[in-house]
Amino acid sequence: MSEAIDPRRRWGLLAAVVVVGVAVDQITKQLAELHLRGRGLVSVVDGFFELRYARNPGAFFSLGADLDPSIRRVVFVAASLAATVLIGRLYAKAERGQVALRWALMLLLAGALGNLVDRVLWGEVIDFVHMYWRGVFDWATFNVADALIVAGLGLLVVDLFRSREGNGAATPTEPTTEGST
């Protein structure tokens, strides 16, 4: 078993990453509200990246946007709170060698809480970043919290492959039979 991580450092790092992530998310959403609402598209890199103000009542890729607003708010807030508890429990159990997993969970939590703030306050999420490529690729409009979630999911995939290969992540120990062929 891996050497234990000092709990103050473990939870202090989690708190710092989450506070910074949520703060950057909320500040950029307020800037979008102030400077992009009603303005239309603002091209940043022509043919690839633009800013556009959007309110998303649904989840990722607007899933659930057609639910009744009162039901949608309760479902999404409850799902976010359940995810927060699950992430916290997984983070508490992560071992020292599971660096990718711990960072994944910190980013996922920051993203989930960033969007949770919007859902509690407005019942929907502010999105403002749009990436596309000349009609070939057109990604959904998103925000910093969504980017944190995607980065966290990417690190979960890294952790999954590392744990399967036994490179730096804790893997479950399977019982072995000594002397068997």
Side-chain angles (χ1 to χ4, degrees):
M1 183 159 168
S2 296
E3 178 180 329
I5 302 169
D6 177 14
R8 290 179 305 229
R9 289 185 68 203
R10 172 191 290 261
W11 296 103
L13 180 60
L14 174 71
V17 169
V18 168
V19 166
V20 168
V22 172
V24 170
D25 176 64
Q26 290 300 304
I27 289 167
T28 56
K29 287 174 179 173
Q30 289 309 304
L31 289 171
E33 181 81 33
L34 290 170
H35 299 289
L36 296 174
R37 188 176 192 164
R39 186 168 174 196
L41 304 178
V42 176
S43 180
V44 177
V45 177
D46 192 38
F48 179 69
F49 174 59
E50 65 191 12
L51 300 175
R52 63 164 71 169
Y53 180 86
R55 289 278 185 136
N56 180 3
F60 199 60
F61 291 111
S62 296
L63 294 173
D66 55 347
L67 291 173
D68 178 82
S70 60
I71 294 171
R72 181 178 58 233
R73 184 179 232 165
V74 169
V75 167
F76 287 154
V77 168
S80 295
L81 292 173
T84 298
V85 170
L86 176 63
I87 291 167
R89 293 188 74 176
L90 291 172
Y91 186 80
K93 292 180 180 186
E95 295 183 19
R96 178 182 289 275
Q98 293 179 291
V99 176
L101 175 62
R102 286 188 289 125
W103 276 97
L105 295 170
M106 288 186 279
L107 295 175
L108 287 167
L109 185 58
L113 292 176
N115 281 338
L116 177 61
V117 169
D118 287 14
R119 293 196 188 287
V120 168
L121 294 177
W122 302 295
E124 55 193 6
V125 172
I126 297 172
D127 290 329
F128 60 92
V129 179
H130 181 237
M131 298 177 78
Y132 62 100
W133 189 62
R134 301 182 180 151
V136 176
F137 169 78
D138 191 9
W139 194 254
T141 305
F142 62 98
N143 58 47
V144 171
D146 297 333
L148 291 169
I149 291 168
V150 169
L153 290 173
L155 285 173
L156 278 179
V157 171
V158 168
D159 181 71
L160 174 68
F161 284 111
R162 288 181 59 108
S163 64
R164 287 179 154 231
E165 295 170 2
N167 295 328
T171 55
T173 305
E174 293 186 23
T176 58
T177 307
E178 301 249 352
S180 64
T181 55

